[in-house]
Amino acid sequence: MPTTTGTKPPSTLGQKSFQWLDDRFHIKALVDYMSDKSVPRHGRSIWYYFGGISLFLFIVQVVTGILLLMYYRPGADSAYESVRFIVSEVSFGWLIRALHSWSANLMIFAVFIHMFSVYFEYSYRKPRELTWVSGIVLFGLALTFGFSGYLLPWNELAFFATRVGTGMAGAVPVIGENLLVIMRGGEEVTGATIGRFFGLHVAILPAIFTVVLTAHLVFIQRQGMSEPIDWTDKPESEKKYIKFFPNFLLRDLLVWLIVLNILAVLAVFLPDGIGLIHWPLGTKADPFAPPPPVIRPEWYFMFAFQALKFLPAHLFGLEGELVGIGAFTLGGLIWALAPFLNTKAHRGKPSTPFTLFGILVLLFMIGMTIAGYILE
């Protein structure tokens, strides 16, 4: 029988369940809000999906990381043994570690694509300045996740790569020496270092990341997807959109399913990685052993590592490494502040200098990365 408001009472079990939840959590209001949102539809819409892919892979990171925590034991005397126990004795432990490692690399790759696509599309322009800045913070946190997690197996390669990486941090002017001691927990990489990296990796970074990620997602939901800059003077009748709910959301979930399948195939058939992207457990770290002939960082740090190697010992009367770190800092600031510096984009016009700067950064990173793997 119709109610006084003209709506039919729930009849099926599903409708009654939804009504029960809606009376308590006002789900319909959320559905109505999402139904009113729309997503621009154009030839470059594919770039919209990489933010969601990054989020999905982060969720995989959290789930697999919690499972690994059940058996992992930090410490110079226990970390390597616990990882070996996980991959050799625990049921499907090798698969969980492979999923964790592959999803970490794929997440950073997806974040790189997401960041560059936003930059070249000028999607950071007004009113999305803080969305861009929060995304840059998330990018930095993702790289720190990778750096802090690299040492946790306490194997030979991780030990010496961490010694090189923290040594680079020690070259930072003024605060470098103190920063090195804080990171290592002393002058050298020891059991204290792994304890600090473990705390950073499983507690501090996830807490900060969750807060910033929540703000980033709220900004996106409040502002919606950015329209292409060439739509600025386009008549409304020539613009195309699709509904966020359910159309775009279902497409996003389909992409997640495809990524999950790719991730599963990689983890099953290549559990230790492939080629230059690999993470075999190898031998246990020995601080008194000679370093391996070739020490390379993770692929996403290779461009900076190789660029610093190219610099001479002294440049402009300063240490070459110091000049390199200063140049990276300046470039990073320009990149992070692009929404505030590129005033032309706010007026709906593309900016050739900023586009060229983005192309230069991209070519520099690709070129240095290739050189890092080709040259010894």
Side-chain angles (χ1 to χ4, degrees):
M1 178 182 292
T3 63
T4 55
T5 59
T7 58
K8 293 181 179 179
S11 55
T12 65
L13 179 60
Q15 290 175 334
K16 290 179 180 177
S17 299
F18 180 81
Q19 187 65 51
W20 189 89
L21 290 170
D22 188 49
D23 290 341
R24 287 153 181 81
F25 301 106
H26 306 292
I27 297 174
K28 192 170 183 306
L30 179 62
V31 172
D32 290 341
Y33 173 75
M34 290 193 297
S35 299
D36 289 337
K37 291 168 61 65
S38 59
V39 178
R41 184 180 178 187
H42 50 89
R44 304 185 295 279
S45 298
I46 188 174
W47 303 121
Y48 289 142
Y49 295 98
F50 281 92
I53 292 173
S54 306
L55 175 62
F56 170 70
L57 291 169
F58 174 69
I59 295 171
V60 175
Q61 284 278 280
V62 173
V63 174
T64 54
I66 291 172
L67 293 174
L68 290 173
L69 270 179
M70 294 180 181
Y71 293 95
Y72 179 75
R73 299 291 178 268
D77 298 328
S78 57
Y80 179 84
E81 287 75 9
S82 64
V83 175
R84 188 172 59 183
F85 180 76
I86 289 171
V87 298
S88 60
E89 301 294 335
V90 178
S91 298
F92 298 106
W94 62 273
L95 180 59
I96 300 300
R97 181 173 183 256
L99 288 170
H100 194 71
S101 302
W102 270 115
S103 61
N105 283 274
L106 292 176
M107 184 186 78
I108 292 178
F109 184 64
V111 169
F112 266 112
I113 294 177
H114 182 49
M115 181 181 67
F116 276 102
S117 65
V118 169
Y119 182 89
F120 286 120
E121 288 287 327
Y122 302 99
S123 300
Y124 53 69
R125 66 188 186 277
K126 183 183 179 181
R128 296 179 175 80
E129 296 94 332
L130 293 182
T131 309
W132 169 262
V133 172
S134 60
I136 292 295
V137 174
L138 289 173
F139 173 69
L141 291 172
L143 295 181
T144 312
F145 261 120
F147 182 67
S148 58
Y150 195 60
L151 177 67
L152 299 189
W154 197 247
N155 55 21
E156 182 185 53
L157 186 60
F159 174 83
F160 286 104
T162 302
R163 195 156 75 175
V164 172
T166 52
M168 290 169 62
V172 175
V174 184
I175 62 171
E177 291 186 9
N178 291 330
L179 184 62
L180 182 144
V181 172
I182 291 172
M183 292 175 70
R184 291 182 176 179
E187 297 291 337
E188 298 294 335
V189 177
T190 62
T193 313
I194 197 171
R196 296 194 174 206
F197 276 45
F198 176 72
L200 184 69
H201 193 75
V202 305
I204 299 174
L205 284 177
I208 300 173
F209 197 92
T210 302
V211 172
V212 181
L213 178 62
T214 302
H216 189 70
L217 295 177
V218 168
F219 293 159
I220 294 172
Q221 289 304 314
R222 293 295 296 172
Q223 298 168 335
M225 298 288 191
S226 172
E227 295 183 355
I229 199 165
D230 53 9
W231 278 21
T232 305
D233 300 324
K234 206 171 192 178
E236 286 297 323
S237 58
E238 295 182 13
K239 298 178 182 178
K240 295 181 180 179
Y241 300 90
I242 61 171
K243 287 287 186 184
F244 177 80
F245 181 85
N247 303 55
F248 184 80
L249 188 58
L250 288 175
R251 294 184 185 195
D252 224 2
L253 293 176
L254 177 61
V255 172
W256 287 21
L257 185 60
I258 294 172
V259 173
L260 177 62
N261 279 274
I262 295 173
L263 182 62
V265 169
L266 291 172
V268 169
F269 292 102
L270 301 167
D272 287 333
I274 183 172
L276 302 173
I277 306 173
H278 66 289
W279 42 85
L281 187 55
T283 58
K284 185 176 179 178
D286 181 1
F288 300 105
V294 179
I295 301 175
R296 290 185 173 128
E298 293 278 50
W299 61 269
Y300 39 86
F301 291 123
M302 179 58 83
F303 74 95
F305 179 75
Q306 185 59 42
L308 292 178
K309 283 177 65 177
F310 275 145
L311 291 174
H314 293 87
L315 196 63
F316 307 124
L318 299 171
E319 289 186 20
E321 198 172 63
L322 191 59
V323 174
I325 292 174
F328 282 132
T329 304
L330 179 62
L333 280 175
I334 294 174
W335 191 264
L337 298 177
F340 306 99
L341 301 175
N342 188 359
T343 55
K344 198 173 181 181
H346 297 327
R347 300 194 297 272
K349 304 292 181 185
S351 171
T352 302
F354 276 89
T355 300
L356 290 176
F357 178 70
I359 293 173
L360 184 65
V361 170
L362 184 60
L363 292 177
F364 172 78
M365 295 176 73
I366 294 174
M368 286 295 115
T369 301
I370 293 174
Y373 285 113
I374 292 177
L375 305 174
E376 291 188 0

